[in-house]
Short mmCIF file of all heavy atoms in Angstrom, two decimals:
data_model
loop_
_atom_site.label_atom_id
_atom_site.label_comp_id
_atom_site.label_asym_id
_atom_site.label_seq_id
_atom_site.Cartn_x
_atom_site.Cartn_y
_atom_site.Cartn_z
N GLN A 1 7.29 -9.08 38.58
CA GLN A 1 8.17 -9.86 39.41
C GLN A 1 9.26 -10.59 38.62
O GLN A 1 10.46 -10.64 39.08
CB GLN A 1 7.31 -10.93 40.14
CG GLN A 1 8.08 -11.79 41.08
CD GLN A 1 7.17 -12.91 41.66
OE1 GLN A 1 6.00 -12.61 41.97
NE2 GLN A 1 7.67 -14.09 41.86
N HIS A 2 8.93 -10.99 37.44
CA HIS A 2 9.95 -11.81 36.65
C HIS A 2 10.59 -10.92 35.52
O HIS A 2 11.30 -11.57 34.71
CB HIS A 2 9.27 -13.01 36.00
CG HIS A 2 8.86 -14.05 37.02
ND1 HIS A 2 9.75 -14.74 37.77
CD2 HIS A 2 7.64 -14.55 37.35
CE1 HIS A 2 9.10 -15.63 38.55
NE2 HIS A 2 7.86 -15.52 38.32
N GLY A 3 10.30 -9.68 35.43
CA GLY A 3 10.90 -8.84 34.35
C GLY A 3 10.37 -9.22 33.01
O GLY A 3 11.14 -9.22 32.01
N LEU A 4 9.06 -9.49 32.90
CA LEU A 4 8.40 -9.86 31.68
C LEU A 4 7.33 -8.91 31.37
O LEU A 4 6.95 -8.05 32.18
CB LEU A 4 7.80 -11.28 31.83
CG LEU A 4 8.83 -12.45 32.08
CD1 LEU A 4 8.03 -13.65 32.66
CD2 LEU A 4 9.56 -12.85 30.87
N SER A 5 6.74 -8.99 30.19
CA SER A 5 5.51 -8.31 29.90
C SER A 5 4.27 -9.16 30.27
O SER A 5 4.44 -10.37 30.45
CB SER A 5 5.39 -7.88 28.41
OG SER A 5 5.09 -9.04 27.65
N THR A 6 3.14 -8.49 30.43
CA THR A 6 1.94 -9.28 30.77
C THR A 6 1.63 -10.27 29.68
O THR A 6 1.23 -11.44 29.88
CB THR A 6 0.74 -8.34 31.00
OG1 THR A 6 1.12 -7.46 32.05
CG2 THR A 6 -0.47 -9.14 31.44
N ALA A 7 1.82 -9.88 28.40
CA ALA A 7 1.57 -10.75 27.28
C ALA A 7 2.49 -11.97 27.38
O ALA A 7 2.09 -13.12 27.10
CB ALA A 7 1.81 -10.05 25.98
N ASP A 8 3.76 -11.76 27.80
CA ASP A 8 4.68 -12.87 27.96
C ASP A 8 4.12 -13.91 28.95
O ASP A 8 4.20 -15.14 28.67
CB ASP A 8 6.07 -12.41 28.50
CG ASP A 8 6.74 -11.45 27.50
OD1 ASP A 8 6.48 -11.45 26.35
OD2 ASP A 8 7.67 -10.75 27.99
N VAL A 9 3.58 -13.42 30.05
CA VAL A 9 3.12 -14.29 31.11
C VAL A 9 1.88 -15.06 30.58
O VAL A 9 1.73 -16.25 30.85
CB VAL A 9 2.71 -13.47 32.33
CG1 VAL A 9 1.95 -14.32 33.37
CG2 VAL A 9 4.05 -12.92 33.01
N LEU A 10 0.92 -14.38 29.88
CA LEU A 10 -0.22 -15.06 29.37
C LEU A 10 0.12 -16.14 28.45
O LEU A 10 -0.55 -17.24 28.47
CB LEU A 10 -1.15 -14.01 28.69
CG LEU A 10 -1.74 -12.91 29.57
CD1 LEU A 10 -2.40 -11.86 28.75
CD2 LEU A 10 -2.72 -13.48 30.60
N LEU A 11 1.13 -15.94 27.57
CA LEU A 11 1.52 -16.97 26.60
C LEU A 11 2.36 -18.09 27.29
O LEU A 11 2.13 -19.28 27.10
CB LEU A 11 2.26 -16.36 25.44
CG LEU A 11 1.53 -15.37 24.60
CD1 LEU A 11 2.48 -14.69 23.59
CD2 LEU A 11 0.34 -16.00 23.87
N GLY A 12 3.31 -17.61 28.13
CA GLY A 12 4.17 -18.58 28.80
C GLY A 12 3.44 -19.51 29.72
O GLY A 12 3.81 -20.66 29.93
N TYR A 13 2.36 -19.02 30.36
CA TYR A 13 1.51 -19.80 31.22
C TYR A 13 0.99 -21.03 30.50
O TYR A 13 0.94 -22.14 31.02
CB TYR A 13 0.34 -18.87 31.68
CG TYR A 13 -0.87 -19.57 32.24
CD1 TYR A 13 -0.84 -20.43 33.34
CD2 TYR A 13 -2.13 -19.38 31.56
CE1 TYR A 13 -1.99 -21.00 33.80
CE2 TYR A 13 -3.28 -20.06 32.06
CZ TYR A 13 -3.23 -20.83 33.14
OH TYR A 13 -4.37 -21.44 33.60
N LEU A 14 0.61 -20.90 29.22
CA LEU A 14 0.10 -21.98 28.42
C LEU A 14 1.24 -22.92 27.96
O LEU A 14 1.14 -24.14 28.02
CB LEU A 14 -0.70 -21.47 27.25
CG LEU A 14 -1.91 -20.60 27.59
CD1 LEU A 14 -2.48 -19.92 26.34
CD2 LEU A 14 -3.01 -21.44 28.21
N VAL A 15 2.30 -22.26 27.47
CA VAL A 15 3.42 -23.09 26.92
C VAL A 15 4.02 -23.93 28.02
O VAL A 15 4.36 -25.12 27.78
CB VAL A 15 4.49 -22.12 26.34
CG1 VAL A 15 5.72 -22.93 25.92
CG2 VAL A 15 3.92 -21.42 25.08
N ALA A 16 4.14 -23.38 29.20
CA ALA A 16 4.65 -24.17 30.34
C ALA A 16 3.83 -25.42 30.71
O ALA A 16 4.35 -26.37 31.27
CB ALA A 16 4.72 -23.30 31.61
N LYS A 17 2.59 -25.43 30.23
CA LYS A 17 1.73 -26.57 30.47
C LYS A 17 1.68 -27.51 29.28
O LYS A 17 0.79 -28.36 29.16
CB LYS A 17 0.28 -26.13 30.82
CG LYS A 17 0.26 -25.33 32.10
CD LYS A 17 -1.07 -25.31 32.81
CE LYS A 17 -2.07 -24.43 32.08
NZ LYS A 17 -3.39 -24.43 32.92
N ASP A 18 2.62 -27.25 28.32
CA ASP A 18 2.65 -28.09 27.07
C ASP A 18 1.35 -27.95 26.20
O ASP A 18 1.01 -28.91 25.57
CB ASP A 18 2.93 -29.55 27.34
CG ASP A 18 4.40 -29.82 27.67
OD1 ASP A 18 5.23 -28.97 27.35
OD2 ASP A 18 4.77 -30.92 28.21
N ILE A 19 0.81 -26.77 26.24
CA ILE A 19 -0.27 -26.45 25.35
C ILE A 19 0.27 -25.77 24.10
O ILE A 19 1.01 -24.72 24.24
CB ILE A 19 -1.33 -25.51 26.06
CG1 ILE A 19 -1.91 -26.26 27.30
CG2 ILE A 19 -2.38 -25.05 25.13
CD1 ILE A 19 -2.71 -25.38 28.20
N VAL A 20 -0.05 -26.22 22.94
CA VAL A 20 0.42 -25.55 21.72
C VAL A 20 -0.33 -24.24 21.62
O VAL A 20 -1.58 -24.22 21.63
CB VAL A 20 0.14 -26.44 20.50
CG1 VAL A 20 0.46 -25.69 19.20
CG2 VAL A 20 0.92 -27.75 20.61
N THR A 21 0.46 -23.15 21.56
CA THR A 21 -0.14 -21.82 21.70
C THR A 21 -0.04 -21.03 20.42
O THR A 21 1.04 -21.02 19.78
CB THR A 21 0.59 -21.10 22.86
OG1 THR A 21 0.45 -21.93 24.07
CG2 THR A 21 0.05 -19.74 23.18
N LEU A 22 -1.12 -20.42 20.01
CA LEU A 22 -1.21 -19.80 18.65
C LEU A 22 -1.54 -18.29 18.69
O LEU A 22 -2.65 -17.88 18.34
CB LEU A 22 -2.27 -20.56 17.85
CG LEU A 22 -2.03 -22.08 17.75
CD1 LEU A 22 -3.31 -22.74 17.23
CD2 LEU A 22 -0.87 -22.38 16.93
N PRO A 23 -0.63 -17.48 19.18
CA PRO A 23 -0.86 -16.05 19.14
C PRO A 23 -0.88 -15.48 17.73
O PRO A 23 -0.18 -15.92 16.83
CB PRO A 23 0.34 -15.49 19.92
CG PRO A 23 1.42 -16.45 19.74
CD PRO A 23 0.71 -17.80 19.65
N LYS A 24 -1.80 -14.55 17.52
CA LYS A 24 -2.01 -13.93 16.22
C LYS A 24 -1.49 -12.52 16.24
O LYS A 24 -1.79 -11.76 17.16
CB LYS A 24 -3.48 -13.99 15.75
CG LYS A 24 -3.79 -13.24 14.54
CD LYS A 24 -4.48 -11.91 14.81
CE LYS A 24 -4.56 -11.05 13.61
NZ LYS A 24 -5.26 -9.75 13.78
N SER A 25 -0.67 -12.15 15.22
CA SER A 25 -0.29 -10.78 15.08
C SER A 25 0.10 -10.54 13.62
O SER A 25 0.53 -11.47 12.90
CB SER A 25 0.88 -10.40 16.00
OG SER A 25 1.18 -9.00 15.83
N VAL A 26 0.04 -9.29 13.19
CA VAL A 26 0.57 -8.97 11.83
C VAL A 26 1.73 -7.91 11.96
O VAL A 26 2.21 -7.43 10.97
CB VAL A 26 -0.53 -8.43 10.85
CG1 VAL A 26 -1.51 -9.57 10.54
CG2 VAL A 26 -1.20 -7.22 11.45
N THR A 27 2.06 -7.60 13.24
CA THR A 27 3.09 -6.62 13.48
C THR A 27 4.42 -7.31 13.73
O THR A 27 4.55 -8.17 14.63
CB THR A 27 2.72 -5.79 14.76
OG1 THR A 27 1.39 -5.32 14.61
CG2 THR A 27 3.67 -4.70 15.00
N PRO A 28 5.49 -7.02 12.94
CA PRO A 28 6.70 -7.81 13.05
C PRO A 28 7.26 -7.77 14.49
O PRO A 28 7.65 -8.85 14.93
CB PRO A 28 7.63 -7.04 12.09
CG PRO A 28 6.73 -6.48 11.03
CD PRO A 28 5.46 -6.15 11.76
N ALA A 29 7.30 -6.70 15.14
CA ALA A 29 7.85 -6.63 16.50
C ALA A 29 7.04 -7.55 17.47
O ALA A 29 7.65 -8.26 18.32
CB ALA A 29 7.88 -5.21 17.03
N ARG A 30 5.70 -7.52 17.29
CA ARG A 30 4.88 -8.30 18.15
C ARG A 30 4.99 -9.83 17.85
O ARG A 30 5.03 -10.68 18.65
CB ARG A 30 3.42 -7.86 18.04
CG ARG A 30 2.40 -8.72 18.86
CD ARG A 30 2.64 -8.62 20.33
NE ARG A 30 2.50 -7.27 20.85
CZ ARG A 30 2.87 -6.84 22.06
NH1 ARG A 30 3.48 -7.75 22.84
NH2 ARG A 30 2.69 -5.67 22.47
N ILE A 31 5.09 -10.12 16.55
CA ILE A 31 5.28 -11.52 16.15
C ILE A 31 6.57 -12.12 16.82
O ILE A 31 6.52 -13.22 17.35
CB ILE A 31 5.41 -11.67 14.56
CG1 ILE A 31 4.09 -11.28 13.95
CG2 ILE A 31 5.93 -12.98 14.13
CD1 ILE A 31 4.11 -11.13 12.44
N LYS A 32 7.63 -11.30 16.77
CA LYS A 32 8.86 -11.80 17.39
C LYS A 32 8.78 -11.84 18.87
O LYS A 32 9.18 -12.84 19.50
CB LYS A 32 9.97 -10.78 16.98
CG LYS A 32 11.41 -11.26 17.38
CD LYS A 32 12.42 -10.28 16.84
CE LYS A 32 13.86 -10.78 17.18
NZ LYS A 32 14.88 -9.84 16.83
N SER A 33 8.16 -10.85 19.53
CA SER A 33 8.12 -10.83 20.98
C SER A 33 7.17 -11.90 21.53
O SER A 33 7.36 -12.42 22.62
CB SER A 33 7.75 -9.41 21.52
OG SER A 33 6.40 -9.12 21.15
N ASN A 34 6.19 -12.22 20.72
CA ASN A 34 5.21 -13.29 21.18
C ASN A 34 5.99 -14.62 21.37
O ASN A 34 5.79 -15.35 22.33
CB ASN A 34 4.09 -13.48 20.25
CG ASN A 34 2.99 -12.46 20.36
OD1 ASN A 34 2.89 -11.76 21.42
ND2 ASN A 34 2.16 -12.29 19.40
N LEU A 35 6.87 -14.96 20.42
CA LEU A 35 7.59 -16.15 20.47
C LEU A 35 8.71 -16.12 21.61
O LEU A 35 8.72 -16.96 22.48
CB LEU A 35 8.30 -16.45 19.15
CG LEU A 35 9.25 -17.67 19.06
CD1 LEU A 35 8.44 -18.93 19.43
CD2 LEU A 35 9.86 -17.78 17.67
N GLU A 36 9.50 -15.04 21.56
CA GLU A 36 10.59 -14.93 22.51
C GLU A 36 10.04 -14.78 23.97
O GLU A 36 10.59 -15.38 24.88
CB GLU A 36 11.46 -13.74 22.14
CG GLU A 36 12.22 -13.96 20.85
CD GLU A 36 13.05 -12.72 20.42
OE1 GLU A 36 12.94 -11.70 21.13
OE2 GLU A 36 13.81 -12.87 19.46
N GLY A 37 9.02 -13.93 24.13
CA GLY A 37 8.42 -13.68 25.43
C GLY A 37 7.76 -14.91 26.04
O GLY A 37 7.90 -15.19 27.28
N ALA A 38 7.08 -15.69 25.21
CA ALA A 38 6.39 -16.95 25.69
C ALA A 38 7.43 -17.88 26.16
O ALA A 38 7.25 -18.51 27.21
CB ALA A 38 5.57 -17.49 24.50
N LEU A 39 8.56 -18.07 25.46
CA LEU A 39 9.54 -19.03 25.84
C LEU A 39 10.31 -18.57 27.12
O LEU A 39 10.56 -19.38 28.03
CB LEU A 39 10.59 -19.23 24.73
CG LEU A 39 10.05 -19.84 23.41
CD1 LEU A 39 11.09 -20.03 22.36
CD2 LEU A 39 9.34 -21.17 23.72
N ALA A 40 10.53 -17.25 27.20
CA ALA A 40 11.15 -16.73 28.42
C ALA A 40 10.29 -16.94 29.65
O ALA A 40 10.74 -17.33 30.70
CB ALA A 40 11.50 -15.28 28.26
N ALA A 41 8.94 -16.66 29.50
CA ALA A 41 8.03 -16.78 30.59
C ALA A 41 7.89 -18.22 31.01
O ALA A 41 7.74 -18.54 32.19
CB ALA A 41 6.70 -16.16 30.23
N ALA A 42 7.81 -19.13 30.02
CA ALA A 42 7.61 -20.56 30.31
C ALA A 42 8.77 -21.04 31.18
O ALA A 42 8.57 -21.91 32.05
CB ALA A 42 7.53 -21.32 29.03
#
């Protein structure tokens, strides 16, 4: 509905509630998308 990935929604759901969110990844593209996607979804 919002033009996001499911991971974005899962992370943004927490960030929107002012929960400090700590996604783990060792993949550069995923590390970047976790931050950008979470903020976009929030």
Side-chain angles (χ1 to χ4, degrees):
Q1 180 184 325
H2 291 297
L4 300 162
S5 74
T6 304
D8 297 341
V9 169
L10 294 171
L11 297 174
Y13 160 61
L14 300 169
V15 173
K17 299 203 286 183
D18 281 344
I19 296 167
V20 175
T21 304
L22 304 167
K24 172 255 169 179
S25 180
V26 295
T27 308
R30 178 62 64 192
I31 289 169
K32 189 175 181 186
S33 67
N34 281 343
L35 176 59
E36 294 177 353
L39 296 180

